[in-house]
Amino acid sequence: MTALTLSTAAAPGLRVDVIVIGVAKGAQGPVVAPGAEAVDKAYDGKLAGILETLGASGAEGELTKLPAPAGFKAPLVVAVGLGAEPGTKDADADDAGYDAEALRKAAGVAARALAGSRKAAFALPIDSPGALEAIGEGVLLGAYSFDAYKENGRQAQGAAKAGNGKTPLAEATLLGGKPRDAAHKGAIARAVAVAEELNRARDLINMPPNDLTPEIFAGIAQAAAKEHGLKVQVLDEKALTRGGYGGILGVGGGSAAAPRLVKLSYRHPKAEKHLAFVGKGITYDSGGISLKPAGHNETMKCDMSGAAAVFGAVVAAARLGLEVNITGWLALAENMPSGSAVRPGDVLRMYSGKTVEVLNTDAEGRLVLADALWAASQENPDAIVDVATLTGAMVLALGSRTFGVMANDDAFRSAVHEAAEEVGEPAWPMPLPEHLRKGMESSVADIANMGERMGGGLVAGLFLREFVGEGITWAHLDIAGPAFNEGGPFGYTPKGGTGSAVRTLVRLAELTAAGDLG
């Protein structure tokens, strides 16, 4: 991953390949953002006009390249758009400085564009440790690439390469970051820990399903647990059978790759609160007997994105040493059609003891989550948050960049939503209408795994609620939209696996550790 360094050196004397500056959309045209004063001075204070002549406006995500001025050791300057200048009518009226997400996106756009460069200096606005962290995180997330299976990647002795065949930016120096300042060092340490684990989640999501079976995923979790001092327990098919995990076994029964339930435990000696994170880990989803139609299964390797997010968040929390206990549950299975696969009409007895009539085998994620939610409930945590690429209905409702948040407690739902927005993950609170529960009534079992078609994302949330222990605060994140980006890259988000929800979970853990989550 790209190496980050801090420096208070002046831009003209830096021996780098490129200097990145920020340009904002001002009331009268582009405005050079703070941090680039030395660069602007070298252009005789005319940099904004030069950029405007080159077509720059300062719009978010815009990138403009120009030769460095005389006297600079770097040959190139790259101006990246930050969006509306603070204080203008298009900016947030309450924002006195540049928004952290705008800085994160700008740094990500620049880092991705600089693939093939050895070293770059980022002279973006830094008025707080939070701004420094956002820029560092944007660089690390924007420079991400997944090319392990391409020939040029193998020829580079395992070095990942970007889609254009160029290696990612090797080193980024953040100008204005003070290398001896404790707050600045802490901000970068957090950015590195979160970004590395989010990128690990992206790697898992992007891995082809023949190389990421439930057993292999469990092995990766075991290796990470050993490295970072976590406790890990893996239930294989025999242990799942002894324990009565009918949901996970039912979904995984049609595959030659047996299911797993992984429990990752992070404990802090001073912790007063306990969170449980539960992730859907369908390493490939064919739909089972209710087979998905052509055109709907090519990207279903991403159906384990929830488990990847939980995995990444627990490891990140351990690396950050957060004063909170966290248990991560990875419900891993492959949903395949075969003679041993669960059929529409079958009844499964879940780990909780409840029975479920399976009306559609493609509604499998809620079945594995139900077992894991009940297992998590047995430890009576202060709150449970599950993460899943659960329903196409949520994508129809919120689009491809926003995840839905449901909960059995309105205040907790609001807290989760606010945490997501704070870290730059678009989310939206969704209801759990009681009248939709009636549609899941079954004549042969306690509940069916399907209900009314309209409001299907909410129906799935109501189903999951049935398997949360009484009195336990719970939230459900349906990340079906933003988990896998099938379009072009944007901001710091690449094509493919995104690592959606990792940052939200880490932020929830931080708030809980600080006593600010209730």
Side-chain angles (χ1 to χ4, degrees):
M1 198 166 76
T2 305
L4 294 183
T5 58
L6 305 181
S7 176
T8 56
L14 292 173
R15 294 186 181 279
V16 294
D17 298 315
V18 59
I19 295 174
V20 178
I21 64 169
V23 57
K25 193 173 184 179
Q28 305 299 323
V31 176
V32 177
E37 290 84 359
V39 181
D40 188 27
K41 182 179 179 181
Y43 285 103
D44 297 325
K46 299 177 180 179
L47 180 53
I50 295 172
L51 289 170
E52 187 171 24
T53 300
L54 293 173
S57 67
E60 182 182 289
E62 184 181 74
L63 204 71
T64 307
K65 298 181 179 180
L66 64 163
F72 272 55
K73 293 182 178 179
L76 183 69
V77 171
V78 169
V80 61
L82 292 166
E85 181 187 19
T88 61
K89 66 177 183 178
D90 294 329
D92 186 341
D94 298 326
D95 188 7
Y98 287 90
D99 177 75
E101 181 65 359
L103 295 173
R104 195 180 289 117
K105 287 179 178 177
V109 168
R112 183 172 61 254
L114 295 177
S117 299
R118 185 185 62 82
K119 187 174 183 179
F122 285 72
L124 296 174
I126 296 175
D127 58 8
S128 67
L132 178 63
E133 180 184 322
I135 294 167
E137 196 173 79
V139 169
L140 297 178
L141 297 180
Y144 171 84
S145 68
F146 183 80
D147 207 11
Y149 291 83
K150 292 184 178 181
E151 185 177 5
N152 57 11
R154 293 193 301 273
Q155 289 175 343
Q157 296 179 344
K161 289 195 174 184
N164 57 8
K166 298 178 180 179
T167 55
L169 175 65
E171 183 178 347
T173 298
L174 309 187
L175 300 184
K178 302 172 184 177
R180 296 185 180 181
D181 184 276
H184 282 201
K185 289 192 294 184
I188 289 302
R190 184 189 185 280
V192 170
V194 173
E196 284 186 349
E197 295 312 320
L198 193 153
N199 283 340
R200 192 208 301 252
R202 289 173 169 178
D203 283 347
L204 290 168
I205 298 164
N206 288 326
M207 283 181 69
N210 58 316
D211 279 352
L212 191 71
T213 63
E215 182 180 6
I216 294 172
F217 196 155
I220 292 170
Q222 287 174 310
K226 183 177 181 181
E227 180 183 358
H228 296 289
L230 303 172
K231 291 185 178 179
V232 62
Q233 179 184 11
V234 178
L235 301 185
D236 61 13
E237 62 270 37
K238 293 180 180 179
L240 291 169
T241 300
R242 289 194 301 269
Y245 291 85
I248 297 175
L249 288 167
V251 172
S255 173
R260 296 288 187 271
L261 178 62
V262 178
K263 177 184 177 183
L264 279 172
S265 302
Y266 163 67
R267 298 292 181 264
H268 193 283
K270 296 182 180 179
E272 296 181 356
K273 296 287 186 178
H274 177 201
L275 294 176
F277 297 153
V278 178
K280 172 187 173 183
I282 304 299
T283 56
Y284 181 75
D285 181 21
S286 70
I289 297 298
S290 305
L291 193 67
K292 292 179 183 291
H296 289 76
N297 48 21
E298 287 79 0
T299 61
M300 280 298 101
K301 64 181 182 180
C302 79
D303 215 17
M304 37 58 68
S305 295
V310 167
F311 174 41
V314 175
V315 176
R319 292 179 61 174
L320 294 171
L322 301 183
E323 291 186 17
V324 59
N325 292 333
I326 305 175
T327 306
W329 299 84
L330 316 181
L332 309 176
E334 185 177 67
N335 187 26
M336 296 289 284
S338 75
S340 58
V342 66
R343 297 154 291 211
D346 283 355
V347 173
L348 303 176
R349 185 171 296 279
M350 312 298 283
Y351 181 54
S352 69
K354 286 185 179 180
T355 54
V356 176
E357 182 183 11
V358 179
L359 299 180
N360 187 324
T361 65
D362 196 23
E364 85 298 329
R366 65 199 69 183
L367 297 176
V368 300
L369 284 174
D371 276 354
L373 283 168
W374 190 253
S377 296
Q378 303 317 294
E379 296 188 341
N380 197 32
D382 293 285
I384 299 174
V385 181
D386 77 70
V387 188
T389 48
L390 207 60
T391 65
M394 197 55 57
V395 185
L396 291 173
L398 298 178
S400 62
R401 298 191 184 183
T402 303
F403 62 74
V405 183
M406 287 156 262
N408 60 4
D409 179 273
D410 289 346
F412 189 59
R413 180 185 63 188
S414 296
V416 173
H417 174 224
E418 290 170 6
E421 294 288 342
E422 182 182 349
V423 298
E425 295 196 309
W428 196 251
M430 303 292 284
L432 289 174
E434 294 297 334
H435 72 273
L436 291 176
R437 171 62 178 83
K438 184 175 178 62
M440 289 184 285
E441 291 183 358
S442 168
S443 61
V444 298
D446 294 320
I447 190 172
N449 78 328
M450 293 290 288
E452 294 183 27
R453 180 170 176 267
M454 300 302 176
L458 312 182
V459 170
L462 286 165
F463 179 91
L464 295 178
R465 191 182 66 177
E466 297 278 325
F467 298 90
V468 176
E470 185 175 354
I472 298 176
T473 302
W474 157 79
H476 161 55
L477 313 185
D478 190 335
I479 63 170
F484 196 84
N485 176 27
E486 295 188 55
F490 58 93
Y492 50 84
T493 302
K495 183 179 178 65
T498 66
S500 177
V502 170
R503 289 179 293 149
T504 296
L505 295 181
V506 172
R507 186 59 185 146
L508 288 173
E510 289 174 328
L511 291 169
T512 302
D516 295 333
L517 200 61

